[in-house]
Amino acid sequence: MTSSTDLPATRKPAQPAPASRSTVRRAKIWLALAMAGWGTIGVFSIQAGTDPITTVAWRCVFAAGALLILALATGAFRQSVWSRKAVLLTLGGGVALVANWVLLFESFATTTITVATVSYHMEPFLLVALGAVISREMPRMRDLVWLAVAFGGLLLATKFIGVNGVERLSGTELVGVVSALLAGLLYALATLAAKHTTGIRPYVMTLLQCVTGAVLLLPFASPVQWNGSGWWWIAAMGVIHTGLLYSALYSSARVLSTVALAALSFVNPAVAIFADIAVYGHIPDLVQLAGIVLIAVATLTITAPRREKPLD
């Protein structure tokens, strides 16, 4: 007599093995470093001195060149496993990502960096909500509370809320708020697409997305002024903020939970404030420092390794 486990038709498909603790820890470190790096992008975009479409288009060009070299040097093309689903998710995520960059830079141009940053960082909540709908990855109430604490810290750190109440907005600034909110939504979609893309190596995935962005935006972009210094800042955004840091994001997204991805994104605005201090001499007050502490505590609490309950 045979048992049901001997019959091939009743066997369940093998589930992917969960990532080891060391792999998860390494992914958290890489993503935190990536978010810290993105905290400086406001400085780079201001120094570039170009319009949003031109900045993003040439950022994609420089990133694609760097990623092509990295992909060839590491054998990423050979190691990639191609499927229709992976290619579609990659290209769709690329369109979302590039549109996110254009809208975010447009937000910086039409409202204050403070308002744009606060509006854009509704993204962690959008990411968790979309993750719950798409992956049925329901967050714990404790994690949602700490995300809210991190967002409260962001409101204080950016001085969006101060002694005079909530910052008032003009009609033009409201356009910036909507742009930033849409940018945050598109970033969340791009991150989720990366989380569910398997087979294509991160360098190759980011390369395909940057080529897509360049093809879509170059016809509308202004030529680069090679005799100035602006192109150096755009090139740095392409190589560092896009080529290297987005590859780190995509490799981490495949390992970490949606809640961890959301929590670590708050590292970005915290570092942006310190970049503002270092470059432009804007010294934070005690309220801002309290906000940064809240962001740090909430992020560390959510992303700390969870203790396994002992088996009875």
Side-chain angles (χ1 to χ4, degrees), residues 84-102:
R84 181 181 178 184
K85 177 183 176 182
V87 171
L88 289 176
L89 282 173
T90 296
L91 296 180
V95 173
L97 188 64
V98 171
N100 147 70
W101 292 338
V102 173

Side-chain angles (χ1 to χ4, degrees), residues 77-207:
F77 286 108
R78 185 178 62 255
Q79 298 168 9
S80 294
V81 179
W82 302 88
S83 67
R84 181 181 178 184
K85 177 183 176 182
V87 171
L88 289 176
L89 282 173
T90 296
L91 296 180
V95 173
L97 188 64
V98 171
N100 147 70
W101 292 338
V102 173
L103 286 169
L104 181 59
F105 291 148
E106 178 65 24
S107 179
F108 286 146
T110 53
T111 187
T112 64
I113 291 179
T114 293
V115 173
T117 301
V118 171
S119 303
Y120 184 74
H121 279 85
M122 286 302 293
E123 168 269 319
F125 301 96
L126 296 172
L127 181 59
V128 171
L130 289 171
V133 172
I134 296 173
S135 305
R136 298 181 181 178
E137 184 182 342
M138 299 303 296
R140 299 184 304 174
M141 181 57 65
R142 170 179 173 273
D143 291 335
L144 291 177
V145 170
W146 279 111
L147 281 177
V149 170
F151 187 73
L154 177 63
L155 295 176
L156 297 177
T158 57
K159 301 182 83 170
F160 186 83
I161 293 179
V163 293
N164 296 321
V166 178
E167 187 168 329
R168 296 183 179 181
L169 305 176
S170 66
T172 302
E173 288 177 326
L174 286 175
V175 174
V177 169
V178 173
S179 297
L181 288 171
L182 289 174
L185 175 61
L186 290 168
Y187 174 82
L189 290 172
T191 303
L192 284 175
K195 184 175 177 61
H196 292 88
T197 302
T198 57
I200 302 178
R201 303 295 295 171
Y203 283 149
V204 178
M205 185 177 181
T206 315
L207 170 60

Side-chain angles (χ1 to χ4, degrees), residues 6-308:
D6 294 325
L7 300 177
T10 61
R11 289 178 181 170
K12 294 182 179 180
Q15 298 294 322
S20 65
R21 288 190 177 184
S22 61
T23 300
V24 172
R25 188 186 309 114
R26 186 163 56 249
K28 289 177 181 178
I29 292 172
W30 276 113
L31 185 55
L33 290 173
M35 291 297 172
W38 285 322
T40 66
I41 200 167
V43 174
F44 282 72
S45 64
I46 291 172
Q47 295 298 323
T50 51
D51 64 272
I53 290 180
T54 298
T55 301
V56 175
W58 288 100
R59 174 184 180 180
C60 287
V61 171
F62 287 114
L67 286 162
L68 179 61
I69 295 172
L70 288 170
L72 291 172
T74 59
F77 286 108
R78 185 178 62 255
Q79 298 168 9
S80 294
V81 179
W82 302 88
S83 67
R84 181 181 178 184
K85 177 183 176 182
V87 171
L88 289 176
L89 282 173
T90 296
L91 296 180
V95 173
L97 188 64
V98 171
N100 147 70
W101 292 338
V102 173
L103 286 169
L104 181 59
F105 291 148
E106 178 65 24
S107 179
F108 286 146
T110 53
T111 187
T112 64
I113 291 179
T114 293
V115 173
T117 301
V118 171
S119 303
Y120 184 74
H121 279 85
M122 286 302 293
E123 168 269 319
F125 301 96
L126 296 172
L127 181 59
V128 171
L130 289 171
V133 172
I134 296 173
S135 305
R136 298 181 181 178
E137 184 182 342
M138 299 303 296
R140 299 184 304 174
M141 181 57 65
R142 170 179 173 273
D143 291 335
L144 291 177
V145 170
W146 279 111
L147 281 177
V149 170
F151 187 73
L154 177 63
L155 295 176
L156 297 177
T158 57
K159 301 182 83 170
F160 186 83
I161 293 179
V163 293
N164 296 321
V166 178
E167 187 168 329
R168 296 183 179 181
L169 305 176
S170 66
T172 302
E173 288 177 326
L174 286 175
V175 174
V177 169
V178 173
S179 297
L181 288 171
L182 289 174
L185 175 61
L186 290 168
Y187 174 82
L189 290 172
T191 303
L192 284 175
K195 184 175 177 61
H196 292 88
T197 302
T198 57
I200 302 178
R201 303 295 295 171
Y203 283 149
V204 178
M205 185 177 181
T206 315
L207 170 60
L208 291 175
Q209 294 184 333
C210 289
V211 170
T212 301
V215 170
L216 291 175
L217 295 180
L218 276 177
F220 309 99
S222 301
V224 170
Q225 300 299 319
W226 299 104
N227 58 347
S229 61
W231 75 272
W232 282 99
W233 294 96
I234 298 175
M237 279 192 284
V239 175
I240 300 171
H241 295 88
T242 310
L244 298 178
L245 299 188
Y246 269 97
S247 297
L249 166 65
Y250 290 160
S251 60
S252 300
R254 299 176 184 183
V255 175
L256 300 178
S257 68
T258 304
V259 171
L261 292 170
L264 284 166
S265 67
F266 282 106
V267 174
N268 180 328
V271 172
I273 293 169
F274 286 112
D276 199 25
I277 297 168
V279 178
Y280 301 111
H282 298 159
I283 306 300
D285 55 25
L286 290 178
V287 173
Q288 287 180 290
L289 290 174
I292 294 171
V293 169
L294 286 176
I295 291 172
V297 171
T299 301
L300 291 172
T301 301
I302 293 174
T303 59
R306 299 177 183 177
R307 295 180 180 179
E308 300 292 338

